[in-house]
Amino acid sequence: MYGLEAISNHNGWAMAVVGISIVFSGLLVLSFAISQLHKFIDLWENRKAHLQNMKELLQTKVKEEKPDYNFSFSRDVEESVHLITKRMGEPFSLPRLIDISKKFGLATPHSTINELIKADLIIPDGKGYFYWNTKKTL
Amino acid sequence: MATNVETLGSLELFKEMEYEALEDLAQIMQPLKVTEGEVLTLRGKQAQIFFIILSGNFMVSFSHDRALTLHNRGALMGLSTVITPFLYTGTVTALTDGEVLSMPGSTFWDFLQNNSALGDKILQKIKSMILERKNFFI
């Protein structure tokens, strides 16, 4: 038995199809790997920056999951008071901050500013004036 | 309504006092509820009443818009009642609702004079507190 008949009898067609499939699959994987190679090269060349980004991302997630505060003021109130302190300039006077916050319509300026102090967002300079703690974010 | 003896005894300022002396003192100290924004003393006015914080948060504002905040139980306000020229050097404002013990300055003076050994210790403590706050009102 020779030729096409022999191929058919010994599952040659099926083997050919499987062989072609394997080769094509391999070529597909290889082409995909080559197409993404520039990303791996970039990752390797900038590995320090990427590691830093990764660390920051993880730390942010941990902060979001475990807040270490329990204050009643909202982010909007915090932002409003921060804006006022920015306009006042630093270091700022606490009594003046309370007066201005009152004029800007803050509902409970005394207790709100007290909570901002307790949250370490407003910190004393030891000379009677105060700073906004930029290192602390809620 | 007179102050509870146990409440007085738990305060740092009166820790070394004997029970009988505490009973006498309790008769002349009055508990007082304060609300947010309430002003307890006015800078430059005659210092007539002496306050001890039981709860709440307070701001003492001085000249040149300087201020300090008090958050701890047992902290004293209106120290000028025992210091010449008996004029308040700061304006005390309640930052939150709270409770204070109040006593007329003249009564406190009498008490200190009648209990000279104890009076000296109390005056020493008051003096050290004044020195801590000196930077704010000079």
Side-chain angles (χ1 to χ4, degrees):
Chain A
M1 199 188 312
Y2 294 103
L4 296 175
E5 199 181 351
I7 292 169
S8 294
N9 269 348
H10 292 92
N11 299 320
W13 300 114
M15 282 194 278
V17 169
V18 170
I20 290 167
S21 303
I22 290 169
V23 170
F24 266 95
S25 303
L27 286 172
L28 272 173
V29 170
L30 193 64
S31 64
F32 179 76
I34 291 169
S35 74
Q36 300 302 315
L37 200 59
H38 69 282
K39 289 185 181 172
F40 287 105
I41 292 169
D42 174 63
L43 201 66
W44 178 253
E45 284 182 344
N46 301 306
R47 55 189 180 279
K48 284 182 182 169
H50 287 300
L51 269 172
Q52 188 62 33
N53 286 342
M54 192 81 85
K55 277 181 188 171
E56 282 172 11
L57 196 71
L58 285 171
Q59 279 170 354
T60 312
K61 277 189 177 174
V62 168
K63 271 186 185 173
E64 280 172 4
E65 284 164 6
K66 293 179 181 176
D68 59 346
Y69 59 90
N70 183 23
F71 297 103
S72 62
F73 56 83
S74 66
R75 175 71 83 173
D76 285 348
V77 168
E78 181 200 326
E79 287 292 326
S80 306
V81 178
H82 190 193
L83 275 174
I84 295 170
T85 63
K86 274 184 181 170
R87 288 200 67 179
M88 289 171 74
E90 289 189 324
F92 55 82
S93 153
L94 203 63
R96 285 199 61 226
L97 176 63
I98 290 173
D99 284 345
I100 295 170
S101 302
K102 211 184 289 178
K103 282 174 191 161
F104 272 77
L106 196 67
T108 50
H110 295 88
S111 56
T112 302
I113 283 161
N114 178 61
E115 290 207 344
L116 290 168
I117 292 169
K118 287 199 150 185
D120 284 336
L121 280 165
I122 292 176
I123 49 172
D125 71 349
K127 294 170 187 165
Y129 298 103
F130 291 78
Y131 280 98
W132 188 271
N133 188 359
T134 49
K135 288 174 189 166
K136 177 97 180 180
T137 48
L138 292 181
Chain B
M1 190 180 73
T3 310
N4 188 306
V5 177
E6 280 71 32
T7 306
L8 273 183
S10 68
L11 298 172
E12 177 67 29
L13 188 64
F14 305 123
K15 257 186 181 162
E16 293 162 30
M17 248 187 186
E18 286 175 10
Y19 194 82
E20 291 76 25
L22 279 175
E23 277 184 325
D24 292 343
L25 194 60
Q27 292 299 315
I28 49 176
M29 290 206 107
Q30 296 295 315
L32 186 70
K33 298 264 185 203
V34 292
T35 54
E36 178 183 345
E38 195 173 330
V39 175
L40 300 183
T41 71
L42 274 174
R43 186 165 60 88
K45 297 284 178 191
Q46 199 172 2
Q48 291 177 324
I49 301 176
F50 172 82
F51 300 94
I52 303 173
I53 298 175
L54 288 181
S55 65
N57 302 273
F58 297 83
M59 173 180 71
V60 192
S61 49
F62 303 99
S63 57
H64 304 291
D65 283 331
R66 280 184 284 201
L68 62 86
T69 54
L70 301 171
H71 307 276
N72 296 327
R73 180 185 163 87
L76 307 179
M77 300 178 295
L79 298 174
S80 307
T81 48
V82 290
I83 303 157
T84 53
F86 307 110
L87 296 173
Y88 287 127
T89 51
T91 297
V92 173
T93 310
L95 292 176
T96 58
D97 293 351
E99 193 177 9
V100 294
L101 289 178
S102 65
M103 183 200 273
S106 54
T107 314
F108 191 47
W109 255 126
D110 291 343
F111 177 82
L112 294 179
Q113 282 169 353
N114 294 334
N115 299 272
S116 54
L118 189 66
D120 282 346
K121 283 181 188 171
I122 292 176
L123 280 175
Q124 280 303 318
K125 284 184 183 175
I126 290 174
K127 193 179 165 189
S128 66
M129 285 180 189
I130 289 168
L131 286 174
E132 280 172 21
R133 298 178 193 177
K134 198 178 161 188
N135 287 341
F136 297 96
F137 52 82
I138 284 181

